[in-house]
Amino acid sequence: MILRNITSDVFYVGSIDWDRPMFDELVPLPDGTTYNSYLVKGSAKTALIDTVHPAKTGELLESLRRAGVQSLDYIISNHAEQDHSGSIPAVLNLYPNAQVVTNARCKGLLSDALGVPAEKFAEVADGDTLSLGNKTLRFMLMPWVHWPDTMATYLEEDRILFSCDFLGSHLATSELFAIDEAKVYAAAKRYYAEIMMPFRNHVQKHLERLKSVEIATIAPSHGPIHARPSFILDAYADWASDRVKPEVVIPYVSMYASTARMVGYLAAKLAEQGLGVRVFNMVRADLGEVAVTLVDASTIILAAPTVLGGPHPGIVGGAFMINALRPKAKFISFIGSYGWGGATAEQLKKMLASLKVEFLTPVMVKGVPKGDDYKLLDELVEAIRSRHPGLTKGLGIDGQKGSRAVAGG
Ligand code: FEO
């Protein structure tokens, strides 16, 4: 359990999950995570902003006891996902007079998932305010960062934005604030890639709206608090922008090294042109690391041998993930080896139907790549290079260092 002051009347009462390995049985958590819950003590009323994961309920209740909370007036629920709402029934049990303050969509989800009775809710709309006496909470609906129900709560007097999932990071740390910004940046980018990237357009819209809000502190529901809001807001603005970087991501699978040879050749040739290259063997890749590279990359090449007439199953999960994450890449192609036929490239293309990209001519070769097959790969390299004007061989766009080739994987 953790009880720490943020200001004299605002407390952190969240929980650190140091060794949680996966989120939603889907997203690897190499650095654990936190479930941030905040207590705001006004002169007349007390509010709890979000709760914690059900497994950490005991810690939250103990923190509220240590904070001397005799009665609780409001539980502000910014988002119904149970890592933030899961303790609401237990908190209501301890403080039966508390009202759950949330928007209509979140109310419905909380009723469905947790059975919170209808009479416990106080429904709010975008822009509504709630007075705690000398403190005022203002609610800002922010759908799709992460679910349609998500909202942020703004504490006007202290200029604190409680942003819930938005602007957060999966990072277990005893540092309440983002002090080690390099470390937080990496965790926040991975979090953005895995959680927020599919909603990039919504992220852009919400960032634009926040420009008119005077924010001194951003207190998300995962990871450290931002006492320097521009750090995370600028990072999000970059990631969510339409700008891509001259980087090529190559997720691949290979059975007898033919596809791997093609990948190695392609990666080397692209790097010689000044493009950054990341190669991932999808049999053992950390999907979070793959997702991070998709935040900025201009180009994706899926590489796989043909099995039973279609792509090797090892690449299918990767294609599904890319389609679901909807990265801003502009160019996609496919390479791989086949034995006697098949429709690997066509099937992979169908799996990427949600992406608005230009599909470049694929290179599918029979057996081991040889002679003219390498010319076809050279043509693919040229097709990619020509779509990145300004590249300087070995240096990247406009001669800037920083393009990189990381092959193997
Ligand atoms: Fe951290 Fe969408 O829950």
Side-chain angles (χ1 to χ4, degrees), residues 15 52 69 104 114 127 231 245 254 262-263 284 348 359 386:
S15 183
V52 297
V69 180
L114 299 173
F231 159 68
K245 294 178 181 167
S254 189
M262 298 173 71
V263 168
R284 53 180 178 269
L348 285 172
F359 287 99
S386 67

Side-chain angles (χ1 to χ4, degrees), residues 23 79 81 83-84 146-147 165 170 191 222:
F23 206 92
H79 175 28
E81 192 165 8
D83 50 328
H84 312 295
H146 167 214
W147 286 359
D165 279 343
H170 284 315
Y191 178 93
H222 295 292

Side-chain angles (χ1 to χ4, degrees), residues 93-266:
N93 195 42
L94 190 62
Y95 301 101
N97 294 325
Q99 284 185 296
V100 179
V101 180
T102 192
N103 62 78
R105 291 189 101 158
C106 189
K107 175 182 169 183
L109 291 169
L110 291 175
S111 299
D112 294 341
L114 299 173
V116 178
E119 65 271 17
K120 291 290 185 186
F121 286 102
E123 191 177 312
V124 292
D126 188 56
D128 282 357
T129 58
L130 179 68
S131 174
L132 306 179
N134 62 340
K135 305 276 184 197
T136 310
L137 300 176
R138 176 151 52 95
F139 305 104
M140 303 175 68
L141 268 55
M142 293 194 171
W144 296 111
V145 289
H146 167 214
W147 286 359
D149 64 314
T150 41
M151 69 178 193
T153 298
Y154 179 65
L155 177 53
E156 292 184 346
E157 290 75 9
D158 297 85
R159 296 179 292 140
I160 301 175
L161 182 76
F162 299 96
S163 58
C164 202
D165 279 343
F166 193 38
L167 309 169
S169 56
H170 284 315
L171 178 61
T173 171
S174 59
E175 290 177 348
L176 188 56
F177 289 88
I179 296 165
D180 183 346
E181 288 190 342
K183 187 172 183 179
V184 176
Y185 183 94
K189 187 171 185 180
R190 183 180 175 113
Y191 178 93
Y192 169 88
E194 294 167 335
I195 312 288
M196 297 292 162
M197 190 156 62
F199 311 112
R200 194 167 63 88
N201 292 342
H202 296 275
V203 168
Q204 288 177 348
K205 193 171 69 176
H206 298 319
L207 289 175
E208 193 60 34
R209 184 182 181 193
L210 287 179
K211 285 181 181 171
S212 61
V213 182
E214 197 179 333
I215 301 172
T217 305
I218 292 175
S221 288
H222 295 292
I225 297 167
H226 299 284
R228 195 170 75 83
S230 61
F231 159 68
I232 192 68
L233 291 171
D234 290 349
Y236 259 64
D238 179 33
W239 302 332
S241 75
D242 296 333
R243 295 185 299 277
V244 293
K245 294 178 181 167
E247 296 174 356
V248 184
V249 182
I250 311 180
Y252 85 99
V253 176
S254 189
M255 293 162 62
Y256 287 100
S258 293
T259 298
R261 281 191 208 183
M262 298 173 71
V263 168
Y265 182 85
L266 187 71

